């Protein structure tokens, strides 16, 4: 068990044209075995929050801890998956997956073995030698996921990992993600701006709002567990309870927008 | 070029044939005297003769070899200096602020303009020519390297850091390969600049080399050697260009596909 915590964390970016309060007073735990999903429009600080957890960004207020110890920088206990794959296009799929192992000096044969097993786990059996440029967006995201899993992180941090995918690929990836999560029990922090995706994947869902970026609502959906217990994805997403929550979320977001429009 | 040019090779070939026919026409008809422009046949014969007997004290191979050795040496010097300097400029804004003005100051100056100064400092020996070409290659290569480094996707760097990469690993396993396509393109352009500068420099101060050969032939009014020399200079430039394109495809073929 491990927990990644943001405690009344804030981030203010300072640039030549003034300061932007990207995040303010955010308190959030990501524990092993949980899928914490941040939902919100662009600019509400989701990536900044992920950057805090990943150690790319230092908090200007509050604290970010991993099992009580301050996070001081990025590390392989918190592997990141990006929307725009961020792969190394000069390496084959297999070498991309093995990249983190190569960094820590794992031998070639062992790297290869791990990479091939992981490529199989993400549904890319037989694509080990393929060039990244020959792969579709969905396949690249799978490679990115396998690369993150290869370093055996305690947490997976995912910034809109499915944002660039078409509807069908996206749903397939959602299911893959839940299966991998079930098999590994890792703590997952995932960003999306799809309400449906957030509801389906999250064990804890936080709704964020901009200027300054903060958490405005928290939900505890159980659709991910129902899916893993065997309920079909279409049945879940068509379930009146799911639809009601989706509408409620959409209404909350809309109300927030109107509030914002009225008071600036 | 690759994709657009393929399948249209006939157009290139047609232009070449047309030019050759035109050249042959104006010379064979006597419209232009051989002193001003010898015919293709005469030039071809002269090329064969040059290959066998050489010109002004050196074989054709020695002339071409002298030019190629100078440009090759300069290229090695430029690669081992300009690439690290460009990397440092791209990685650290402070280094960039220190060096960029110097490079931008001398870059637009035609190398032949500072050749006289280098001749005063280093004489008219080999060193002068190699230094001149190195300087001509250095600036564009350093600038291309620095901009390639700056263009690296920050998420790619973050990904590597979150996988546990040290600073050095980020530089050599992520930033350098990411910038390699830009570096190789810079090298190809720089080499073209270097080659033309070299040949021009040999017109001024040399006792061997293709530029020197053309220059002395011109003074002796041996026009067929002048034309043969120019063609040779062009062909070598083309071969160097194609060679570096091959290197680009081989080592940076992944870029441009995405
Ligand atoms: N490096 C930065 N410098 C200055 N402002 C930034 C920087 N990164 C993000 N911001 C600003 O902070 C706010 C939150 O950004 P971000 O965390 O990327 O939001 P999201 O991921 O939800 O779209 C935005 O207003 C954005 O413009
Ligand atoms: Mg974002």
């Amino acid at each position: 068990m491990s927990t990644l915590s943001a405690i009344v964390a804030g981030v203010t970016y300072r640039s030549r044209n003034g300061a932007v309060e990207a995040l303010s007073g955010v308190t959030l735990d990501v524990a092993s075995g949980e899928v914490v999903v941040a939902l919100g429009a662009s600019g509400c600080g989701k990536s900044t929050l992920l950057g805090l957890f990943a150690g790319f960004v230092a908090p200007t207020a509050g604290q970010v801890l991993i099992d009580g110890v301050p996070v001081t920088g990025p590390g392989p206990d918190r592997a990141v998956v990006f929307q725009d794959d961020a792969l190394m296009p000069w390496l084959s799929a297999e070498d991309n997956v093995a990249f983190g192992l190569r960094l820590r000096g794992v031998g070639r044969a062992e790297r290869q073995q791990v990479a091939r097993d992981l490529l199989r786990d993400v549904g890319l059996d037989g694509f080990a030698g393929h060039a990244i440029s020959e792969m579709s967006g969905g396949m690249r995201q799978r490679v990115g996921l396998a690369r993150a899993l290869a370093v055996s992180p305690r947490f997976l941090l995912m910034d809109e990992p499915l944002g660039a995918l078409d509807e069908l690929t996206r749903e397939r990836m959602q299911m893959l993600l839940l299966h991998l999560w079930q098999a590994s029990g890792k703590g997952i922090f995932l960003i999306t701006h799809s309400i449906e995706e957030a509801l389906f994947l999250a064990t804890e869902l936080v709704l964020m709002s901009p200027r300054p970026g903060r958490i405005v609502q928290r939900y505890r959906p159980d659709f991910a567990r129902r899916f893993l217990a065997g309920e079909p994805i279409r049945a879940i997403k068509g379930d009146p309870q799911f639809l009601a929550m989706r509408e409620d979320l959409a209404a909350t977001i809309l109300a927030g927008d109107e509030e914002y429009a009225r008071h600036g | 070029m690759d994709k657009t040019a393929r399948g249209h090779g006939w157009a290139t070939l047609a232009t070449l044939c047309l030019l050759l026919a035109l050249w042959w026409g104006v010379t064979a008809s006597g419209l232009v005297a051989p002193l001003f422009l010898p015919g293709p046949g005469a030039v071809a014969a002269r090329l064969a003769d040059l290959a066998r007997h050489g010109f002004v004290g050196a074989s054709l191979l020695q002339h071409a070899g002298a030019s190629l050795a100078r440009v090759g040496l300069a290229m090695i010097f430029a690669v081992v200096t300009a690439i690290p300097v460009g990397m440092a400029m791209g990685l650290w804004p402070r280094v960039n602020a220190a060096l960029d003005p110097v490079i931008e100051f001398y870059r637009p100056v035609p190398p032949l303009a500072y050749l006289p100064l280098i001749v005063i400092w280093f004489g008219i020996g080999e060193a002068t020519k190699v230094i001149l070409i190195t300087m001509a290659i250095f600036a564009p290569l350093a600038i291309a390297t620095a901009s390639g480094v700056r263009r690296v996707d920050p998420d790619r760097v973050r990904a590597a850091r979150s996988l546990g990469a040290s600073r050095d690993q980020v530089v050599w396993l992520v930033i350098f390969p990411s910038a390699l396509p830009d570096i190789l393109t810079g090298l190809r352009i720089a080499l073209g600049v270097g080659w033309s500068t070299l040949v021009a420099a040999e017109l001024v101060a040399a006792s061997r080399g293709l530029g020197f050969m053309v220059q002395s032939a011109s003074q002796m009014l041996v026009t067929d050697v002048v034309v043969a020399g120019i063609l040779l200079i062009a062909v070598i430039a083309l071969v160097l260009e194609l060679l570096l394109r091959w290197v680009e495809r081989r080592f940076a073929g992944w870029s441009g596909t995405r």
Side-chain angles (χ1 to χ4, degrees), chain A residues 46-47 159-160 191:
Chain A
K46 304 183 298 294
S47 296
D159 197 341
E160 299 186 31
I191 293 171

Side-chain angles (χ1 to χ4, degrees), chain A residues 13-15 20-22 40-49 159-160 191:
Chain A
Y13 292 112
R14 284 174 208 291
S15 65
V20 180
E21 198 174 10
S42 301
C44 67
K46 304 183 298 294
S47 296
T48 302
L49 179 54
D159 197 341
E160 299 186 31
I191 293 171

Side-chain angles (χ1 to χ4, degrees), chain A residues 86-91 96 99-100 102-103 147, chain B residues 87 91 148-149 151-181 183 254:
Chain A
L87 296 171
M88 315 295 161
W90 55 92
L91 299 176
N96 265 287
F99 190 79
R102 178 172 160 208
L103 293 174
R147 171 176 75 173
Chain B
M87 292 273 295
L91 288 171
V149 167
R151 274 185 345 115
V152 177
D153 176 10
D155 276 350
R156 203 178 275 165
V157 172
R158 288 196 195 102
R161 296 221 293 142
S162 93
L163 292 170
S166 65
R167 301 263 159 190
D168 283 356
Q169 284 176 322
V170 167
V171 170
W172 295 113
L173 300 178
V174 182
I175 294 177
F176 180 72
S178 294
L180 194 58
I183 295 175
W254 54 268

Side-chain angles (χ1 to χ4, degrees), chain B residues 77-131:
Chain B
F77 285 146
V79 162
V80 300
T81 54
I83 293 178
V85 166
M87 292 273 295
M89 287 170 67
L91 288 171
W92 299 298
R94 194 172 298 169
V95 175
N96 189 58
L99 296 183
D100 190 58
V102 183
I103 293 180
E104 285 300 343
F105 179 74
Y106 95 80
R107 189 178 62 95
V109 181
L112 290 187
Y114 50 76
L115 174 62
L117 189 62
I118 303 182
V119 169
I120 292 173
W121 289 348
F122 298 98
I124 56 162
E126 284 308 301
T128 294
K129 270 147 287 191
V130 175
I131 289 168

